[in-house]
Amino acid sequence: MKRIFFIIIGALLLWSCEKTIEFDGEMTKPYIVMISQPEADSVWMVDLSYSRFFLLSQEIKTIDDATVTMEVNGSIVSGSAQSLGDGLYNTHIVPQSGDTLTLRARVGDEEVVAGCRMPFSPTITDFHAEYDTSYNESWDGSTYAECTPRYHFKLHDKAGEKNYYRIRMFIKYDDCEDCEIENLYFSIEDPLIYDEDVVEVILNEGENYFYGHSLMFSDERIDGTTHNIAIDNISQSFLTRSNHTVIIEVSALSRELYLYLSSLEAAQNGDDLGFFSEPVQII
C-alpha cells in the first residue's frame, strides 16, 4: 500500500511542474523571402514568398505579383521574369560559369536585392576505382564474397581564390526505368578538407572521418594544390543489383550557397544556433 501511495504522490509532483507560458512579445511582420539556386547551363529560376512568424502554423504565403528584374555582369537584362504561379518565376536566363548575377524583386514599395558569382566548374582528373573483397560466413555456414569499392580522383584547386566544394554520391539502377536515383552514404578520411564547423565529423577510436551523403568544404587547407581524394562507398544495399551506375558529383559552390547550406545543416543537427533560428536562403 505504501508503494502505491508513493507512486501517486510522485505523479502529482510531476504533473504540477507543467505550466503553459503565453508569448507576450511582438509578432514580427512578414518579410519577402527570395530563394534561388542558379546553376551554370541551367535556366535561372526564382521562388518568392513571405516569411512566417515562428509561432504560427499556417502555410507559407507565396508571391505571384512581384516585379523580378535581373543583371548579368552588371548589365540589366531587358524585361522581367515570368510568373509561373505558386511563387515561382522563370528568368529565361542561362548563367555561365564566372557570371556575376544580381536579382531584384519588388512588391509594392518593398524591394529585396541579392547577388552572387557563379563559380567555375571544378577540375577533376585521374579518376579510378579499386575494390576490397572480403569473405564472410552466412548463417548456414556457406561463404560469400562482399565487394567494397573505393574511388580516387584528383581535385585541382585554383590558387589565390576562395573556393567551396560539395561531394555527393548517387546510384542509378540501369535495369529499372521507374527507379529514382538514390543517395549513397560514403566516408572520407581526410582532415585537410574537413570543416568541423560545417560537417558532422565522427570520432571513432581516435580517428576523425566524415560519414554522410553530402560533404561540403572550402579550400582553406588545400589552396592552389592538386589534392588526392579517396571515397569509401559504405552503402552496401546496391550490391544486390548487378546493373547499376554509381555517380559521384563534385560541385563548386558560390560562397552564398555554401554559407546557406552550412547554416541549414547546422540547424538540422541542432548545433548551437538557438531554438528560434530558421535559415533563409537569399540567393
Side-chain angles (χ1 to χ4, degrees), residues 133-138 141-147:
T133 303
S134 60
Y135 296 90
N136 305 285
E137 185 175 339
S138 62
S142 61
T143 302
Y144 66 94
E146 189 171 71
C147 180

PDB file of all heavy atoms in Angstrom, residues 133-138 141-147:
ATOM      1  N   THR A 133      37.776  -6.854 -51.499  1.00  0.00           N
ATOM      2  CA  THR A 133      36.899  -8.017 -51.393  1.00  0.00           C
ATOM      3  C   THR A 133      37.138  -8.735 -50.069  1.00  0.00           C
ATOM      4  O   THR A 133      38.277  -9.058 -49.719  1.00  0.00           O
ATOM      5  CB  THR A 133      37.142  -8.991 -52.555  1.00  0.00           C
ATOM      6  OG1 THR A 133      36.937  -8.310 -53.795  1.00  0.00           O
ATOM      7  CG2 THR A 133      36.178 -10.166 -52.477  1.00  0.00           C
ATOM      8  N   SER A 134      36.065  -8.964 -49.337  1.00  0.00           N
ATOM      9  CA  SER A 134      36.150  -9.711 -48.077  1.00  0.00           C
ATOM     10  C   SER A 134      35.206 -10.905 -48.162  1.00  0.00           C
ATOM     11  O   SER A 134      34.211 -10.891 -48.888  1.00  0.00           O
ATOM     12  CB  SER A 134      35.762  -8.810 -46.893  1.00  0.00           C
ATOM     13  OG  SER A 134      34.440  -8.322 -47.037  1.00  0.00           O
ATOM     14  N   TYR A 135      35.557 -11.952 -47.414  1.00  0.00           N
ATOM     15  CA  TYR A 135      34.770 -13.177 -47.432  1.00  0.00           C
ATOM     16  C   TYR A 135      34.151 -13.385 -46.053  1.00  0.00           C
ATOM     17  O   TYR A 135      34.834 -13.314 -45.032  1.00  0.00           O
ATOM     18  CB  TYR A 135      35.639 -14.369 -47.831  1.00  0.00           C
ATOM     19  CG  TYR A 135      36.179 -14.255 -49.236  1.00  0.00           C
ATOM     20  CD1 TYR A 135      37.408 -13.634 -49.473  1.00  0.00           C
ATOM     21  CD2 TYR A 135      35.462 -14.750 -50.322  1.00  0.00           C
ATOM     22  CE1 TYR A 135      37.907 -13.507 -50.759  1.00  0.00           C
ATOM     23  CE2 TYR A 135      35.965 -14.619 -51.614  1.00  0.00           C
ATOM     24  CZ  TYR A 135      37.166 -14.004 -51.816  1.00  0.00           C
ATOM     25  OH  TYR A 135      37.655 -13.876 -53.100  1.00  0.00           O
ATOM     26  N   ASN A 136      32.851 -13.631 -46.037  1.00  0.00           N
ATOM     27  CA  ASN A 136      32.112 -13.753 -44.787  1.00  0.00           C
ATOM     28  C   ASN A 136      31.328 -15.066 -44.767  1.00  0.00           C
ATOM     29  O   ASN A 136      31.001 -15.640 -45.819  1.00  0.00           O
ATOM     30  CB  ASN A 136      31.144 -12.578 -44.618  1.00  0.00           C
ATOM     31  CG  ASN A 136      31.854 -11.242 -44.715  1.00  0.00           C
ATOM     32  OD1 ASN A 136      32.536 -10.825 -43.802  1.00  0.00           O
ATOM     33  ND2 ASN A 136      31.686 -10.571 -45.853  1.00  0.00           N
ATOM     34  N   GLU A 137      31.022 -15.497 -43.580  1.00  0.00           N
ATOM     35  CA  GLU A 137      30.273 -16.738 -43.408  1.00  0.00           C
ATOM     36  C   GLU A 137      28.823 -16.410 -43.094  1.00  0.00           C
ATOM     37  O   GLU A 137      28.524 -15.598 -42.217  1.00  0.00           O
ATOM     38  CB  GLU A 137      30.867 -17.573 -42.281  1.00  0.00           C
ATOM     39  CG  GLU A 137      30.201 -18.939 -42.126  1.00  0.00           C
ATOM     40  CD  GLU A 137      30.889 -19.792 -41.079  1.00  0.00           C
ATOM     41  OE1 GLU A 137      32.072 -19.510 -40.781  1.00  0.00           O
ATOM     42  OE2 GLU A 137      30.249 -20.722 -40.556  1.00  0.00           O
ATOM     43  N   SER A 138      27.895 -17.014 -43.822  1.00  0.00           N
ATOM     44  CA  SER A 138      26.473 -16.769 -43.620  1.00  0.00           C
ATOM     45  C   SER A 138      25.932 -17.704 -42.540  1.00  0.00           C
ATOM     46  O   SER A 138      26.644 -18.550 -41.999  1.00  0.00           O
ATOM     47  CB  SER A 138      25.712 -16.984 -44.928  1.00  0.00           C
ATOM     48  OG  SER A 138      25.846 -18.326 -45.363  1.00  0.00           O
ATOM     49  N   GLY A 141      26.471 -21.474 -42.787  1.00  0.00           N
ATOM     50  CA  GLY A 141      27.828 -21.989 -42.869  1.00  0.00           C
ATOM     51  C   GLY A 141      28.503 -21.778 -44.201  1.00  0.00           C
ATOM     52  O   GLY A 141      29.713 -22.016 -44.323  1.00  0.00           O
ATOM     53  N   SER A 142      27.769 -21.323 -45.203  1.00  0.00           N
ATOM     54  CA  SER A 142      28.370 -21.080 -46.509  1.00  0.00           C
ATOM     55  C   SER A 142      29.145 -19.758 -46.487  1.00  0.00           C
ATOM     56  O   SER A 142      28.925 -18.904 -45.636  1.00  0.00           O
ATOM     57  CB  SER A 142      27.295 -21.047 -47.601  1.00  0.00           C
ATOM     58  OG  SER A 142      26.357 -20.000 -47.348  1.00  0.00           O
ATOM     59  N   THR A 143      30.044 -19.594 -47.431  1.00  0.00           N
ATOM     60  CA  THR A 143      30.878 -18.398 -47.524  1.00  0.00           C
ATOM     61  C   THR A 143      30.439 -17.556 -48.721  1.00  0.00           C
ATOM     62  O   THR A 143      30.169 -18.087 -49.800  1.00  0.00           O
ATOM     63  CB  THR A 143      32.354 -18.790 -47.669  1.00  0.00           C
ATOM     64  OG1 THR A 143      32.747 -19.585 -46.546  1.00  0.00           O
ATOM     65  CG2 THR A 143      33.236 -17.557 -47.728  1.00  0.00           C
ATOM     66  N   TYR A 144      30.367 -16.261 -48.500  1.00  0.00           N
ATOM     67  CA  TYR A 144      30.021 -15.360 -49.592  1.00  0.00           C
ATOM     68  C   TYR A 144      31.014 -14.200 -49.613  1.00  0.00           C
ATOM     69  O   TYR A 144      31.604 -13.829 -48.593  1.00  0.00           O
ATOM     70  CB  TYR A 144      28.587 -14.842 -49.462  1.00  0.00           C
ATOM     71  CG  TYR A 144      28.348 -13.944 -48.266  1.00  0.00           C
ATOM     72  CD1 TYR A 144      28.431 -12.559 -48.387  1.00  0.00           C
ATOM     73  CD2 TYR A 144      28.041 -14.477 -47.021  1.00  0.00           C
ATOM     74  CE1 TYR A 144      28.222 -11.733 -47.289  1.00  0.00           C
ATOM     75  CE2 TYR A 144      27.821 -13.666 -45.925  1.00  0.00           C
ATOM     76  CZ  TYR A 144      27.911 -12.295 -46.070  1.00  0.00           C
ATOM     77  OH  TYR A 144      27.698 -11.486 -44.986  1.00  0.00           O
ATOM     78  N   ALA A 145      31.202 -13.639 -50.806  1.00  0.00           N
ATOM     79  CA  ALA A 145      32.149 -12.534 -51.002  1.00  0.00           C
ATOM     80  C   ALA A 145      31.398 -11.207 -50.993  1.00  0.00           C
ATOM     81  O   ALA A 145      30.289 -11.101 -51.521  1.00  0.00           O
ATOM     82  CB  ALA A 145      32.903 -12.705 -52.313  1.00  0.00           C
ATOM     83  N   GLU A 146      32.009 -10.207 -50.382  1.00  0.00           N
ATOM     84  CA  GLU A 146      31.435  -8.862 -50.354  1.00  0.00           C
ATOM     85  C   GLU A 146      32.478  -7.889 -50.872  1.00  0.00           C
ATOM     86  O   GLU A 146      33.628  -7.896 -50.414  1.00  0.00           O
ATOM     87  CB  GLU A 146      31.018  -8.490 -48.933  1.00  0.00           C
ATOM     88  CG  GLU A 146      30.218  -7.210 -48.861  1.00  0.00           C
ATOM     89  CD  GLU A 146      29.648  -6.988 -47.470  1.00  0.00           C
ATOM     90  OE1 GLU A 146      30.447  -6.691 -46.559  1.00  0.00           O
ATOM     91  OE2 GLU A 146      28.432  -7.126 -47.289  1.00  0.00           O
ATOM     92  N   CYS A 147      32.063  -7.072 -51.831  1.00  0.00           N
ATOM     93  CA  CYS A 147      32.995  -6.173 -52.502  1.00  0.00           C
ATOM     94  C   CYS A 147      32.696  -4.724 -52.092  1.00  0.00           C
ATOM     95  O   CYS A 147      31.585  -4.254 -52.281  1.00  0.00           O
ATOM     96  CB  CYS A 147      32.882  -6.336 -54.013  1.00  0.00           C
ATOM     97  SG  CYS A 147      33.994  -5.285 -54.937  1.00  0.00           S
TER      98      CYS A 147
END
